[in-house]
Amino acid sequence: MNKNNYLFTSESVSEGHPDKVCDRISDMVVDSFLSKDPFSRVACETLTTTNKVVLAGEIRAPEIKKEELIQKVRNCIKDIGYDQDGFSWKETTNIESHLHSQSSDIAMGVDSKDNKDEGAGDQGIMFGYACNETEELMPAPIHYSHKILRLMAEDRKKGSLIGIEPDSKSQVTMKYENGIPTKVTSVVISTQHSKDLNQEQVRGLIYPYIKKSIPEKLLKELKDKEVYINPTGQFIIGGPDGDTGLTGRKIIVDTYGGAAPHGGGAFSGKDPTKVDRSAAYVARYLAKNVVAAGVSNKCLIQLAYAIGVSKPLSIYVKLEEKDEEKNEDLKIKIEKNFDLSPRGIRELLGLNKSIYEATSAYGHFGRNPTNKGEFSWEKTDKTSIFKM
């Protein structure tokens, strides 16, 4: 087979998936402290299991009373839609907070002092990617996987998708010909449901969301037997009651569905001094502006940092075309026009705001910027810098 002809699959998980419940809570904690002080330092991990939520991590920020934070956790759970015997926003679920002060050693490396600029909150490598497979400049399989679950969740919360519960997963496989996605070859959707629904009823409720989410031209050859809805049978016990959840376990869901590398660090629960988050956002911003400028159909950017050091140690650019001169030219433009220190990134993208809870489900990329500052890294306002 031609190396440009292949099948590629990406998955998404809903906001009710146990790990995504944790991401949502951790990002709520970040937003809560940033709303008190935009320069708060927060690293919050969350664990969920049957009727239990545990917060742990370090902060350097104005105090928020534990009772207030616990009530905000309950509000998150309620908004997601959990009020079940094994996991509920009500008092039947025990919530513990074990947040403590940030290590002075970490603070010393990150803080600006005298002539030293603010340093990165950790070492690591971060990737940004964009391609022209969708209007959002995202890989098609992950984009459509997200969309299926997002539309399901919207209707469930409006009350027009009755009997479907919060915990869901989706998976879309597409055929690529000459490197271009041409058709969907299979779809998998597993969703939690009430005990009142049988599997035929679940299939009838969920199947329309495939057609709502994916362009008709990509579904023309998809057969019913290639659509798997709850393939293991009933799915009544779900969410944290069915499986333990942890912050940061769905990093490929959060980014590009495996179509591009991931540096390893999770995003949720971290304030923007942590380059795991902020540098991944700015790398996406740069890559998206390169593709939006028409420079290439695909762009991958890697940034590398050392803890306590403000500037990136390296910038790597890779376009679809194997043109080293073009890659180097873009790298020089990035170095010349963008301050990629943690402070510079935050100022460029306006990251010192309580904007992170919205990112916790359905992907951090490929979303629409809002007037509150959410998803600012999705703007394509720097294309003039990259046009050749």
Side-chain angles (χ1 to χ4, degrees), residues 112-118 310:
S112 58
K113 187 177 180 181
D114 300 326
N115 293 324
K116 173 186 172 295
D117 197 2
E118 179 184 307
S310 62

Side-chain angles (χ1 to χ4, degrees), residues 1 4-11 131 133-134 138-146 148 171-188 210 213-220 222 226 256-257 259:
M1 180 182 284
N4 288 320
N5 297 339
Y6 52 88
L7 298 179
F8 193 84
T9 304
S10 294
E11 75 154 349
C131 62
E133 294 177 15
T134 62
M138 285 289 287
I142 187 66
H143 174 72
Y144 297 126
S145 294
H146 284 321
I148 290 168
Q171 187 170 284
V172 174
T173 300
M174 303 193 72
K175 183 174 183 181
Y176 282 69
E177 298 179 86
N178 296 317
I180 299 171
T182 57
K183 64 180 180 180
V184 174
T185 61
S186 68
V187 177
V188 183
I210 298 172
S213 304
I214 303 174
E216 184 181 357
K217 65 181 181 180
L218 297 174
L219 294 175
K220 283 183 178 179
L222 184 67
E226 294 162 340
Y256 309 103

